[in-house]
Amino acid sequence: RKDVGILAMDIYFPPSCVQQEALEAHDGASKGKYTIGLGQDCMAFCSEVEDVISMSLTVVNSLLKKYKVDPKLIGRLEVGSETVIDKSKSIKTWLMQIFEESGNTDIEGVDSSNACYGGTAALLNCVNWVESNSWDGRYGLVVCTDSAVYAEGPARPTGGAAAIAMLIGPNAPISFESKYRASHMAHVYDFYKPDLASEYPVVDGKLSQTCYLMALDSCYRQFCNKYEKIVGKQFSISDAEYFVFHSPYNKLVQKSFARLCYNDFMRNCSSIDDDAKEKLQPFSNLTGEESYQSRDLEKASQQVAKHLYDIKVQPSTLLPKQIGNMYTASLYAALASVLYNKHDSLDGQRIVMFSYGSGLTSTMFSLRLNNGQHPFSLSNIASVLGVTEKLQSRHETLPEKFIETLKLMEHRYGAKDFETNKDTSLLPPGTFYLTHVDSMYRRFYDQK
Ligand code: ACO
């Protein structure tokens, strides 16, 4: 099987959003804290008629229609999510409704969950399935769906919401270089959801940042080792056109790319020029631990990385900056941003992806791009994604209204016997929405 990977992609995000600048002022944070400090522009959120199930129904339905894929041709469907609704019933089973009419019930796969990593686990499972002896010749379908909401406090501006669907098969325009794949997994309490009565996580923000960067270093080191063993030459940031990172907020992405530059400097790579070497020299003797704590190193490496960041990373930041952290969908929304921004110049290029889920699990992997053939072409994917249109048709909400919605959702979380306001005025036609939850906690959705 040649070029197994992503054939098609679609994204859905809620039309309601709040500007970070307005939220900053509302929260009494210093000016620039969310927009420059965190690097975020805007944050999407689910209104009372939307949730991870409705968003995933919407995006799967939309992908099948827009790429004209016969539902009978799906042989595996996997969902990545960390938003808990029915603790034992998977979101995947909800999506089976879309396949009912076609009579296709022969679809493997369930949900994967570990913080923001579940989507990557689902994706790797589908790619592995197509590459394996169990493959029956049909497509895999991966869905990443999450609504990220935080309790009042510094983490609240790092929320977001979206669902992404990706069709998996051979001869893909976005194919996996499966040999170059490195993971770093460990036990840490940096972000977790132990309180089942609340949708909000318990989060140690500072620890989660350090864990993320340590996982990145470890994955990159092993990724480089594997590449070097196979190809017989050193890997550096010069060997990929784009680097796409899981994006809880943009500042961490800036720090991540700077960290890769620091790694290349420490490995004496030709990607680091003399001027950069001079700036990083004072940090060459830091221990690993010290290097995570050094503010001076952070500043110097970000300065060194700035020029290449604009070329190799910035094109991936559009959707994450506009929508916020979409947990499992964040990394793939960043990939979608590159496809959208650069689709006509990606042929033959390489994208390195870094997936991180607290707790912690992480993988770095490599994608190779080719223009592909309609409907599974990069230009068609870019047009289906319709990022500009979707962003422009959003509705900006005042921070007060956003907080009011969160309060209502706190009340509704895990509740039964209620009806939603069924207000679909902001939703585009075809969007699924929640109408009510009955006395047995069963949920009911309609389609606009
Ligand atoms: N203008 C410009 N920058 C500012 C301003 C201002 N007025 N005020 C603060 N800043 C900067 C700070 O210097 C800092 O930047 P730096 O890291 O480059 O120094 C940044 O804004 C953040 O401010 P802090 O005070 O360091 O952090 P804060 O207490 O606001 O918390 C955090 C930030 C930890 C990211 C919090 O939002 C959080 O816990 N988020 C959820 C956890 C998370 O996303 N972790 C990432 C990996 S795990 C995951 O994906 C869930």
Short mmCIF file of all heavy atoms in Angstrom, two decimals, residues 67-120:
data_model
loop_
_atom_site.label_atom_id
_atom_site.label_comp_id
_atom_site.label_asym_id
_atom_site.label_seq_id
_atom_site.Cartn_x
_atom_site.Cartn_y
_atom_site.Cartn_z
N TYR A 67 -17.16 15.49 -0.06
CA TYR A 67 -16.23 14.71 -0.88
C TYR A 67 -16.96 13.58 -1.60
O TYR A 67 -16.33 12.74 -2.23
CB TYR A 67 -15.09 14.16 -0.03
CG TYR A 67 -14.16 15.22 0.53
CD1 TYR A 67 -14.41 15.80 1.77
CD2 TYR A 67 -13.03 15.65 -0.18
CE1 TYR A 67 -13.57 16.78 2.30
CE2 TYR A 67 -12.18 16.61 0.34
CZ TYR A 67 -12.45 17.17 1.59
OH TYR A 67 -11.60 18.13 2.11
N LYS A 68 -18.30 13.54 -1.47
CA LYS A 68 -19.13 12.51 -2.10
C LYS A 68 -18.62 11.10 -1.81
O LYS A 68 -18.37 10.30 -2.71
CB LYS A 68 -19.20 12.74 -3.62
CG LYS A 68 -19.80 14.08 -4.01
CD LYS A 68 -20.16 14.09 -5.48
CE LYS A 68 -20.92 15.32 -5.89
NZ LYS A 68 -20.15 16.58 -5.72
N VAL A 69 -18.44 10.81 -0.52
CA VAL A 69 -17.98 9.47 -0.10
C VAL A 69 -19.20 8.65 0.29
O VAL A 69 -20.00 9.07 1.14
CB VAL A 69 -17.01 9.57 1.10
CG1 VAL A 69 -16.59 8.18 1.57
CG2 VAL A 69 -15.78 10.40 0.71
N ASP A 70 -19.36 7.48 -0.32
CA ASP A 70 -20.45 6.57 0.01
C ASP A 70 -20.23 6.03 1.44
O ASP A 70 -19.17 5.46 1.72
CB ASP A 70 -20.42 5.42 -1.02
CG ASP A 70 -21.52 4.40 -0.80
OD1 ASP A 70 -22.18 4.43 0.27
OD2 ASP A 70 -21.71 3.56 -1.70
N PRO A 71 -21.20 6.21 2.33
CA PRO A 71 -21.03 5.75 3.72
C PRO A 71 -20.70 4.26 3.84
O PRO A 71 -20.08 3.83 4.81
CB PRO A 71 -22.39 6.05 4.37
CG PRO A 71 -23.02 7.09 3.51
CD PRO A 71 -22.50 6.89 2.12
N LYS A 72 -21.06 3.48 2.84
CA LYS A 72 -20.73 2.04 2.85
C LYS A 72 -19.23 1.81 2.74
O LYS A 72 -18.74 0.72 3.06
CB LYS A 72 -21.40 1.35 1.65
CG LYS A 72 -22.89 1.11 1.80
CD LYS A 72 -23.28 -0.02 0.82
CE LYS A 72 -24.76 -0.07 0.54
NZ LYS A 72 -25.26 1.06 -0.25
N LEU A 73 -18.51 2.81 2.26
CA LEU A 73 -17.07 2.63 2.03
C LEU A 73 -16.22 2.96 3.25
O LEU A 73 -15.00 2.97 3.18
CB LEU A 73 -16.62 3.49 0.84
CG LEU A 73 -17.17 3.05 -0.53
CD1 LEU A 73 -16.65 3.94 -1.64
CD2 LEU A 73 -16.80 1.59 -0.80
N ILE A 74 -16.87 3.22 4.39
CA ILE A 74 -16.10 3.44 5.63
C ILE A 74 -16.02 2.10 6.37
O ILE A 74 -17.03 1.47 6.67
CB ILE A 74 -16.77 4.49 6.53
CG1 ILE A 74 -16.99 5.83 5.80
CG2 ILE A 74 -15.96 4.70 7.83
CD1 ILE A 74 -15.73 6.56 5.37
N GLY A 75 -14.79 1.66 6.66
CA GLY A 75 -14.59 0.37 7.34
C GLY A 75 -14.09 0.52 8.76
O GLY A 75 -14.05 -0.44 9.53
N ARG A 76 -13.65 1.70 9.10
CA ARG A 76 -13.16 1.93 10.46
C ARG A 76 -13.42 3.40 10.81
O ARG A 76 -13.16 4.29 10.00
CB ARG A 76 -11.66 1.65 10.52
CG ARG A 76 -11.11 1.64 11.92
CD ARG A 76 -9.64 1.24 11.98
NE ARG A 76 -9.26 1.18 13.39
CZ ARG A 76 -9.21 0.06 14.10
NH1 ARG A 76 -9.44 -1.09 13.53
NH2 ARG A 76 -8.90 0.09 15.38
N LEU A 77 -13.94 3.62 12.00
CA LEU A 77 -14.24 4.99 12.44
C LEU A 77 -13.77 5.12 13.88
O LEU A 77 -14.18 4.35 14.75
CB LEU A 77 -15.75 5.24 12.33
CG LEU A 77 -16.36 6.48 13.00
CD1 LEU A 77 -15.64 7.76 12.60
CD2 LEU A 77 -17.83 6.61 12.63
N GLU A 78 -12.88 6.07 14.10
CA GLU A 78 -12.32 6.26 15.45
C GLU A 78 -12.47 7.72 15.86
O GLU A 78 -12.26 8.62 15.05
CB GLU A 78 -10.84 5.91 15.47
CG GLU A 78 -10.59 4.47 15.08
CD GLU A 78 -9.53 3.82 15.94
OE1 GLU A 78 -9.19 4.38 17.00
OE2 GLU A 78 -9.06 2.76 15.54
N VAL A 79 -12.76 7.91 17.12
CA VAL A 79 -12.94 9.26 17.64
C VAL A 79 -11.89 9.54 18.72
O VAL A 79 -11.65 8.69 19.58
CB VAL A 79 -14.35 9.43 18.26
CG1 VAL A 79 -14.53 10.82 18.86
CG2 VAL A 79 -15.42 9.17 17.20
N GLY A 80 -11.30 10.71 18.67
CA GLY A 80 -10.43 11.17 19.75
C GLY A 80 -11.15 12.30 20.46
O GLY A 80 -11.61 13.23 19.81
N SER A 81 -11.29 12.20 21.77
CA SER A 81 -11.94 13.27 22.54
C SER A 81 -11.57 13.12 24.01
O SER A 81 -11.34 12.01 24.49
CB SER A 81 -13.45 13.19 22.39
OG SER A 81 -14.06 14.24 23.11
N GLU A 82 -11.56 14.23 24.72
CA GLU A 82 -11.36 14.15 26.16
C GLU A 82 -12.53 14.79 26.88
O GLU A 82 -12.47 15.05 28.08
CB GLU A 82 -10.04 14.81 26.58
CG GLU A 82 -9.94 16.28 26.25
CD GLU A 82 -8.87 16.96 27.08
OE1 GLU A 82 -9.10 17.16 28.28
OE2 GLU A 82 -7.80 17.28 26.52
N THR A 83 -13.60 15.07 26.13
CA THR A 83 -14.78 15.67 26.74
C THR A 83 -15.75 14.56 27.11
O THR A 83 -16.27 13.87 26.24
CB THR A 83 -15.43 16.68 25.78
OG1 THR A 83 -14.42 17.59 25.32
CG2 THR A 83 -16.54 17.45 26.46
N VAL A 84 -15.96 14.39 28.40
CA VAL A 84 -16.71 13.24 28.88
C VAL A 84 -18.21 13.56 28.92
O VAL A 84 -18.64 14.48 29.59
CB VAL A 84 -16.24 12.87 30.31
CG1 VAL A 84 -17.04 11.71 30.86
CG2 VAL A 84 -14.76 12.54 30.29
N ILE A 85 -19.02 12.81 28.18
CA ILE A 85 -20.47 12.95 28.29
C ILE A 85 -21.07 11.64 28.82
O ILE A 85 -21.55 11.58 29.94
CB ILE A 85 -21.11 13.38 26.96
CG1 ILE A 85 -20.67 14.82 26.63
CG2 ILE A 85 -22.64 13.31 27.07
CD1 ILE A 85 -21.32 15.41 25.42
N ASP A 86 -21.00 10.58 28.00
CA ASP A 86 -21.44 9.26 28.48
C ASP A 86 -20.18 8.48 28.77
O ASP A 86 -19.48 8.11 27.84
CB ASP A 86 -22.23 8.54 27.39
CG ASP A 86 -23.60 9.14 27.21
OD1 ASP A 86 -24.29 9.33 28.22
OD2 ASP A 86 -23.98 9.41 26.06
N LYS A 87 -19.92 8.22 30.03
CA LYS A 87 -18.61 7.65 30.37
C LYS A 87 -18.38 6.28 29.74
O LYS A 87 -17.25 5.90 29.50
CB LYS A 87 -18.42 7.61 31.88
CG LYS A 87 -18.16 9.00 32.44
CD LYS A 87 -17.86 8.99 33.90
CE LYS A 87 -19.11 8.89 34.74
NZ LYS A 87 -19.96 10.12 34.62
N SER A 88 -19.44 5.52 29.48
CA SER A 88 -19.19 4.21 28.88
C SER A 88 -19.59 4.14 27.41
O SER A 88 -19.07 3.32 26.67
CB SER A 88 -19.88 3.11 29.69
OG SER A 88 -21.16 2.85 29.17
N LYS A 89 -20.51 4.97 27.00
CA LYS A 89 -20.97 4.92 25.60
C LYS A 89 -20.08 5.85 24.76
O LYS A 89 -19.99 7.04 25.04
CB LYS A 89 -22.43 5.37 25.55
CG LYS A 89 -23.07 5.37 24.18
CD LYS A 89 -24.56 5.70 24.31
CE LYS A 89 -25.15 6.25 23.02
NZ LYS A 89 -25.01 5.38 21.85
N SER A 90 -19.46 5.30 23.74
CA SER A 90 -18.51 6.11 22.96
C SER A 90 -19.24 7.10 22.04
O SER A 90 -20.39 6.88 21.64
CB SER A 90 -17.62 5.21 22.12
OG SER A 90 -18.38 4.50 21.17
N ILE A 91 -18.54 8.17 21.70
CA ILE A 91 -19.06 9.14 20.73
C ILE A 91 -19.19 8.46 19.37
O ILE A 91 -20.09 8.75 18.59
CB ILE A 91 -18.13 10.37 20.66
CG1 ILE A 91 -18.12 11.10 22.01
CG2 ILE A 91 -18.56 11.33 19.54
CD1 ILE A 91 -17.09 12.21 22.13
N LYS A 92 -18.28 7.51 19.13
CA LYS A 92 -18.34 6.77 17.86
C LYS A 92 -19.72 6.16 17.64
O LYS A 92 -20.26 6.19 16.52
CB LYS A 92 -17.25 5.68 17.88
CG LYS A 92 -17.11 4.90 16.59
CD LYS A 92 -17.98 3.67 16.54
CE LYS A 92 -17.93 2.95 15.23
NZ LYS A 92 -16.74 2.18 15.01
N THR A 93 -20.33 5.62 18.71
CA THR A 93 -21.64 4.98 18.53
C THR A 93 -22.70 6.00 18.09
O THR A 93 -23.60 5.68 17.32
CB THR A 93 -22.12 4.27 19.82
OG1 THR A 93 -22.15 5.23 20.89
CG2 THR A 93 -21.20 3.12 20.19
N TRP A 94 -22.57 7.24 18.56
CA TRP A 94 -23.47 8.31 18.10
C TRP A 94 -23.36 8.51 16.60
O TRP A 94 -24.35 8.72 15.91
CB TRP A 94 -23.10 9.63 18.80
CG TRP A 94 -23.77 9.78 20.12
CD1 TRP A 94 -23.22 9.58 21.34
CD2 TRP A 94 -25.13 10.15 20.34
NE1 TRP A 94 -24.15 9.80 22.31
CE2 TRP A 94 -25.33 10.16 21.72
CE3 TRP A 94 -26.18 10.49 19.49
CZ2 TRP A 94 -26.54 10.48 22.30
CZ3 TRP A 94 -27.40 10.81 20.05
CH2 TRP A 94 -27.57 10.80 21.45
N LEU A 95 -22.12 8.45 16.12
CA LEU A 95 -21.87 8.72 14.70
C LEU A 95 -22.41 7.62 13.80
O LEU A 95 -22.60 7.82 12.60
CB LEU A 95 -20.37 8.94 14.46
CG LEU A 95 -19.79 10.15 15.20
CD1 LEU A 95 -18.28 10.20 15.06
CD2 LEU A 95 -20.41 11.44 14.66
N MET A 96 -22.67 6.42 14.38
CA MET A 96 -23.22 5.32 13.59
C MET A 96 -24.57 5.66 12.99
O MET A 96 -24.99 5.09 11.98
CB MET A 96 -23.31 4.03 14.42
CG MET A 96 -21.98 3.40 14.76
SD MET A 96 -20.89 3.19 13.34
CE MET A 96 -21.85 2.04 12.35
N GLN A 97 -25.26 6.64 13.59
CA GLN A 97 -26.56 7.07 13.04
C GLN A 97 -26.44 7.55 11.59
O GLN A 97 -27.36 7.38 10.80
CB GLN A 97 -27.09 8.27 13.83
CG GLN A 97 -27.53 7.96 15.22
CD GLN A 97 -28.07 9.23 15.85
OE1 GLN A 97 -29.26 9.34 16.12
NE2 GLN A 97 -27.20 10.18 16.07
N ILE A 98 -25.28 8.17 11.31
CA ILE A 98 -25.07 8.71 9.96
C ILE A 98 -24.98 7.58 8.93
O ILE A 98 -25.28 7.76 7.76
CB ILE A 98 -23.80 9.60 9.96
CG1 ILE A 98 -24.08 10.85 10.79
CG2 ILE A 98 -23.36 9.97 8.55
CD1 ILE A 98 -22.89 11.76 10.96
N PHE A 99 -24.60 6.39 9.42
CA PHE A 99 -24.41 5.26 8.50
C PHE A 99 -25.63 4.36 8.41
O PHE A 99 -25.67 3.43 7.62
CB PHE A 99 -23.17 4.45 8.92
CG PHE A 99 -21.91 5.28 8.89
CD1 PHE A 99 -21.54 6.05 9.99
CD2 PHE A 99 -21.15 5.34 7.74
CE1 PHE A 99 -20.41 6.85 9.94
CE2 PHE A 99 -20.02 6.13 7.68
CZ PHE A 99 -19.65 6.89 8.79
N GLU A 100 -26.64 4.66 9.26
CA GLU A 100 -27.83 3.80 9.36
C GLU A 100 -28.52 3.61 8.02
O GLU A 100 -28.80 2.49 7.61
CB GLU A 100 -28.82 4.44 10.34
CG GLU A 100 -29.27 3.51 11.45
CD GLU A 100 -29.92 4.28 12.58
OE1 GLU A 100 -30.94 4.95 12.31
OE2 GLU A 100 -29.38 4.23 13.72
N GLU A 101 -28.76 4.73 7.36
CA GLU A 101 -29.52 4.68 6.12
C GLU A 101 -28.85 3.81 5.06
O GLU A 101 -29.51 3.11 4.30
CB GLU A 101 -29.67 6.12 5.58
CG GLU A 101 -30.86 6.30 4.67
CD GLU A 101 -30.95 7.74 4.19
OE1 GLU A 101 -30.85 8.65 5.04
OE2 GLU A 101 -31.07 7.93 2.97
N SER A 102 -27.53 3.81 5.03
CA SER A 102 -26.80 3.02 4.03
C SER A 102 -26.76 1.54 4.41
O SER A 102 -26.36 0.70 3.62
CB SER A 102 -25.37 3.54 3.90
OG SER A 102 -24.63 3.17 5.06
N GLY A 103 -27.13 1.22 5.66
CA GLY A 103 -27.11 -0.17 6.13
C GLY A 103 -25.73 -0.64 6.55
O GLY A 103 -25.52 -1.82 6.86
N ASN A 104 -24.77 0.26 6.58
CA ASN A 104 -23.40 -0.12 6.96
C ASN A 104 -23.23 -0.09 8.48
O ASN A 104 -23.12 0.97 9.08
CB ASN A 104 -22.40 0.83 6.29
CG ASN A 104 -20.95 0.46 6.60
OD1 ASN A 104 -20.68 -0.60 7.17
ND2 ASN A 104 -20.03 1.34 6.23
N THR A 105 -23.22 -1.29 9.10
CA THR A 105 -22.94 -1.37 10.54
C THR A 105 -21.60 -2.03 10.79
O THR A 105 -21.17 -2.18 11.93
CB THR A 105 -24.03 -2.19 11.27
OG1 THR A 105 -24.08 -3.50 10.66
CG2 THR A 105 -25.40 -1.53 11.17
N ASP A 106 -20.94 -2.43 9.71
CA ASP A 106 -19.64 -3.12 9.81
C ASP A 106 -18.51 -2.10 9.82
O ASP A 106 -17.81 -1.92 8.82
CB ASP A 106 -19.53 -4.09 8.61
CG ASP A 106 -18.20 -4.82 8.57
OD1 ASP A 106 -17.53 -4.89 9.63
OD2 ASP A 106 -17.81 -5.28 7.49
N ILE A 107 -18.38 -1.41 10.95
CA ILE A 107 -17.36 -0.36 11.07
C ILE A 107 -16.61 -0.53 12.39
O ILE A 107 -17.20 -0.38 13.46
CB ILE A 107 -18.00 1.06 11.01
CG1 ILE A 107 -18.82 1.23 9.71
CG2 ILE A 107 -16.93 2.12 11.11
CD1 ILE A 107 -19.46 2.61 9.54
N GLU A 108 -15.33 -0.86 12.31
CA GLU A 108 -14.52 -1.07 13.52
C GLU A 108 -14.21 0.26 14.22
O GLU A 108 -14.36 1.32 13.63
CB GLU A 108 -13.19 -1.71 13.13
CG GLU A 108 -13.28 -3.16 12.73
CD GLU A 108 -11.91 -3.77 12.45
OE1 GLU A 108 -10.90 -3.05 12.50
OE2 GLU A 108 -11.87 -4.97 12.19
N GLY A 109 -13.70 0.14 15.45
CA GLY A 109 -13.15 1.31 16.14
C GLY A 109 -14.07 1.89 17.19
O GLY A 109 -15.29 1.83 17.08
N VAL A 110 -13.48 2.46 18.25
CA VAL A 110 -14.23 3.20 19.28
C VAL A 110 -13.50 4.51 19.58
O VAL A 110 -12.78 5.02 18.73
CB VAL A 110 -14.44 2.36 20.58
CG1 VAL A 110 -15.44 1.24 20.34
CG2 VAL A 110 -13.13 1.82 21.11
N ASP A 111 -13.66 5.05 20.79
CA ASP A 111 -13.02 6.33 21.14
C ASP A 111 -11.65 6.10 21.79
O ASP A 111 -11.44 5.09 22.47
CB ASP A 111 -13.89 7.11 22.13
CG ASP A 111 -15.23 7.53 21.56
OD1 ASP A 111 -15.51 7.17 20.39
OD2 ASP A 111 -16.00 8.19 22.27
N SER A 112 -10.78 7.05 21.61
CA SER A 112 -9.48 7.05 22.30
C SER A 112 -9.43 8.29 23.16
O SER A 112 -9.80 9.37 22.68
CB SER A 112 -8.33 7.15 21.31
OG SER A 112 -8.21 5.97 20.58
N SER A 113 -8.96 8.13 24.40
CA SER A 113 -8.83 9.35 25.17
C SER A 113 -7.58 9.41 26.03
O SER A 113 -7.23 8.45 26.71
CB SER A 113 -10.08 9.58 26.03
OG SER A 113 -9.99 8.85 27.20
N ASN A 114 -6.86 10.45 25.90
CA ASN A 114 -5.84 10.90 26.85
C ASN A 114 -5.58 12.37 26.58
O ASN A 114 -4.78 12.72 25.71
CB ASN A 114 -4.53 10.11 26.74
CG ASN A 114 -3.60 10.48 27.89
OD1 ASN A 114 -3.59 9.82 28.92
ND2 ASN A 114 -2.86 11.56 27.75
N ALA A 115 -6.28 13.22 27.29
CA ALA A 115 -6.19 14.67 27.08
C ALA A 115 -6.17 14.98 25.59
O ALA A 115 -6.93 14.39 24.83
CB ALA A 115 -4.99 15.23 27.84
N CYS A 116 -5.27 15.88 25.17
CA CYS A 116 -5.30 16.34 23.78
C CYS A 116 -4.72 15.34 22.79
O CYS A 116 -4.62 15.62 21.60
CB CYS A 116 -4.53 17.66 23.67
SG CYS A 116 -5.07 18.88 24.85
N TYR A 117 -4.31 14.17 23.27
CA TYR A 117 -3.63 13.18 22.41
C TYR A 117 -4.57 12.20 21.72
O TYR A 117 -4.17 11.52 20.77
CB TYR A 117 -2.61 12.42 23.27
CG TYR A 117 -1.73 11.46 22.49
CD1 TYR A 117 -0.58 11.91 21.83
CD2 TYR A 117 -2.03 10.10 22.43
CE1 TYR A 117 0.24 11.04 21.13
CE2 TYR A 117 -1.21 9.22 21.72
CZ TYR A 117 -0.07 9.70 21.08
OH TYR A 117 0.74 8.83 20.39
N GLY A 118 -5.82 12.10 22.19
CA GLY A 118 -6.74 11.07 21.69
C GLY A 118 -6.90 11.06 20.17
O GLY A 118 -7.04 10.00 19.55
N GLY A 119 -6.88 12.23 19.56
CA GLY A 119 -7.04 12.33 18.10
C GLY A 119 -5.87 11.69 17.37
O GLY A 119 -6.04 11.03 16.34
N THR A 120 -4.68 11.88 17.93
CA THR A 120 -3.49 11.28 17.33
C THR A 120 -3.52 9.77 17.49
O THR A 120 -3.18 9.03 16.55
CB THR A 120 -2.22 11.89 17.97
OG1 THR A 120 -2.25 13.29 17.71
CG2 THR A 120 -0.95 11.27 17.44
#
